[in-house]
Amino acid sequence: MQIKSKLPSVGTTIFTTMSQLALEHKAINLGQGFPDFNPDPALIQAVHQAMLDGINQYPAMAGYPALRAAIADKTQRRYGRLYDIDSEITVTSGATEALMASFQAFVHPGDEVIVIEPFYDLYIPAIQLAGGIPVAVPMTAPDAAVPYYRVDWDRVEKAISSKTRMLVINFPHNPTCTILCPQDLDALEQIVDRHPLMILSDEVYEHLTFDQKEHLSLASRPKLAERAIIVSSFGKTFHATGWKVGYCCAPAYLSTEIRKVHQYTVFTVPSPLQAGLASYMQDPATWESLPAFYQEKRDYLHQGLQQTRFKPMPSEGTFFLLASYENISDLPELDFAKHLNQAYGVGAIPVSAFYLNPNSEQANHRLLRFCFAKQPSTLDQAIERLQKV
Ligand SMILES: Cc1ncc(COP(=O)(O)O)c(C=O)c1O
């Protein structure tokens, strides 16, 4: 039988490819973004207890009420906005489902959706599945004068047309490790003043910012929050990426539509995981301690890379850092990442993979993304191998 693919250009993701290569070459995998350590035993215990307590059947479609209450409390403490647990908070199957449900709920065939390039790989196929047209606006790449990536909001605004339905942003940003500053939020406020679009704000790394810099959520500005869907992930926050529990906060008029898709995609999310998370989150230290925990790991890898010919760049947030190999090779990023895997046994992700056209010159800045959500012994082994490059 002949089938007509809805996503003809989608193949295996770079994360799977690099992880497979890492397995083949027994490489230390600093590629895919997941911790190689367990969640807090207290969280595992809380989930176990929930199972023993009989919390094993379908929970409410929008999420276990105590977890929605814990999310409301955390969001209010951190960003000053109280989302209504009945109508504005939805627990989803990872941030992935919240993103996918948002695209499905709001993007109509022919609508344009602006994404900032480089971007997390889910956005483009998800927009296409909904019949939308992705419009990529590149970040300004690092150069000698400004050695980090940044968004040119004028350029973003110029990309808005009468067909633009949505702007997708992701800060702390994967893969460039930059965070929002107040001027970015000011620029976004001006954009929403002038254009009737909504913002899908992927904030899965909201708790991973460093050097005393706080994540600035769109929830902290009423004008933005009114138009925004804010997505987060307990997988990233509590070192449990395999549990696939996330959530989104959005005004009721948006949440209602997202829930219509959520209801018929997964209906709900495993109840003991939700109940365990709710009871664990009663102590705010569980998330307040994360910046210090990850900053130590970031600094460890940064210092380790300084002992090699790689040049680490500053990372303001996420559990990644970028490093340049301009002193080592002229190869395009994908080729160099494969070579590093095969010849030296270290897996990393080429930043070019987060571009619409990974082989173009604009996508290749001789940068690799390394994940530092690893135990010190893993980072030690990787650094030892990278010293040989
Ligand atoms: C920017 C970004 N958004 C969303 C996700 C997916 O999160 P989850 O595992 O909770 O679905 C990831 C995971 O890597 C990510 O990096």
Side-chain angles (χ1 to χ4, degrees):
M1 190 185 64
Q2 286 272 313
I3 57 141
K4 188 173 168 203
S5 173
K6 282 192 161 184
L7 296 172
S9 53
V10 169
T12 312
T13 73
I14 183 74
F15 309 104
T16 309
T17 307
M18 295 312 287
S19 289
Q20 267 166 3
L21 262 183
L23 266 180
E24 265 170 47
H25 297 279
K26 298 200 172 47
I28 312 286
N29 188 0
L30 302 191
Q32 209 171 353
F34 59 85
D36 72 345
F37 45 87
N38 257 337
D40 186 347
L43 174 56
I44 294 176
Q45 181 57 39
V47 171
H48 186 203
Q49 194 57 49
M51 287 181 175
L52 295 175
D53 290 345
I55 305 176
N56 297 301
Q57 309 309 327
Y58 292 134
M61 179 273 279
Y64 191 70
L67 182 56
R68 278 184 279 148
I71 294 166
D73 183 50
K74 174 173 84 78
T75 310
Q76 188 184 24
R77 276 167 186 260
R78 293 233 4 165
Y79 309 124
R81 186 179 182 88
L82 182 60
Y83 283 94
D84 179 56
I85 65 167
D86 291 327
S87 61
E88 300 187 315
I89 297 174
T90 309
V91 180
T92 56
S93 180
T96 300
E97 195 232 333
L99 293 165
M100 193 58 114
S102 302
F103 289 122
Q104 286 297 332
F106 302 114
V107 178
H108 292 258
D111 284 350
E112 291 178 3
V113 180
I114 298 180
V115 293
I116 292 174
E117 191 183 39
F119 44 74
Y120 180 59
D121 69 340
L122 170 140
Y123 305 149
I124 302 294
I127 294 165
Q128 289 169 334
L129 265 183
I133 302 162
V135 176
V137 176
M139 283 171 111
T140 311
D143 53 28
V146 187
Y148 48 85
Y149 278 91
R150 62 245 179 242
V151 179
D152 179 346
W153 294 109
D154 286 338
R155 206 165 168 184
V156 172
E157 189 162 10
K158 285 199 185 98
I160 298 174
S161 79
S162 58
K163 291 189 190 149
T164 307
R165 169 82 50 185
M166 184 189 265
L167 163 65
V168 185
I169 63 170
N170 160 224
F171 291 95
H173 189 257
N174 176 15
T176 69
C177 314
T178 52
I179 62 174
L180 290 171
C181 65
Q183 290 77 5
D184 294 315
L185 293 189
D186 296 344
L188 278 167
E189 284 188 335
Q190 286 171 13
I191 289 178
V192 299
D193 269 344
R194 291 193 279 254
H195 306 277
L197 45 73
M198 66 181 82
I199 305 180
L200 180 54
S201 186
D202 180 345
E203 303 186 10
V204 295
Y205 300 103
E206 60 173 326
H207 296 293
L208 311 188
T209 58
F210 312 123
D211 307 317
Q212 269 79 52
K213 289 185 197 147
E214 295 269 321
H215 166 57
L216 298 181
S217 174
L218 267 56
S220 64
R221 296 273 183 107
K223 193 183 276 184
L224 296 175
E226 276 310 309
R227 299 271 197 95
I229 303 147
I230 289 161
V231 174
S232 192
S233 165
F234 290 116
K236 305 291 183 188
T237 299
F238 293 133
H239 331 306
T241 58
W243 292 5
K244 295 299 294 184
V245 188
Y247 62 91
C248 59
C249 300
Y253 75 103
L254 298 175
S255 291
T256 306
E257 298 302 315
I258 294 169
R259 287 180 183 181
K260 289 180 188 171
V261 180
H262 167 74
Q263 168 161 265
Y264 294 120
T265 313
V266 295
F267 181 69
T268 189
V269 175
S271 48
L273 296 179
Q274 293 197 60
L277 282 161
S279 101
Y280 181 69
M281 285 172 69
Q282 295 311 307
D283 178 4
T286 53
W287 69 83
E288 285 170 352
S289 58
L290 290 165
F293 174 77
Y294 273 113
Q295 185 167 322
E296 201 179 319
K297 294 190 180 296
R298 177 202 65 169
D299 292 346
Y300 197 75
L301 181 60
H302 191 100
Q303 281 151 18
L305 285 169
Q306 283 175 326
Q307 318 299 315
T308 72
R309 292 172 69 201
F310 288 88
K311 261 191 6 208
M313 285 171 53
S315 165
E316 298 180 296
T318 73
F319 47 40
F320 306 111
L321 66 76
L322 299 185
S324 162
Y325 59 87
E326 66 184 11
N327 294 334
I328 303 171
S329 167
D330 286 332
L331 283 175
E333 291 178 4
L334 179 60
D335 295 344
F336 185 75
K338 285 185 174 164
H339 172 67
L340 191 66
N341 216 312
Q342 285 157 1
Y344 296 97
V346 178
I349 302 288
V351 176
S352 59
F354 299 80
Y355 281 78
L356 265 186
N357 184 356
N359 300 322
S360 66
E361 211 174 296
Q362 289 79 351
N364 279 273
H365 302 279
R366 288 186 281 174
L367 293 171
L368 294 183
R369 190 199 74 177
F370 293 91
C371 174
F372 52 76
K374 307 291 169 190
Q375 301 173 55
S377 57
T378 312
L379 296 176
D380 281 340
Q381 276 176 287
I383 292 162
E384 204 183 300
R385 293 180 183 195
L386 292 172
Q387 278 170 342
K388 301 197 178 107
V389 181

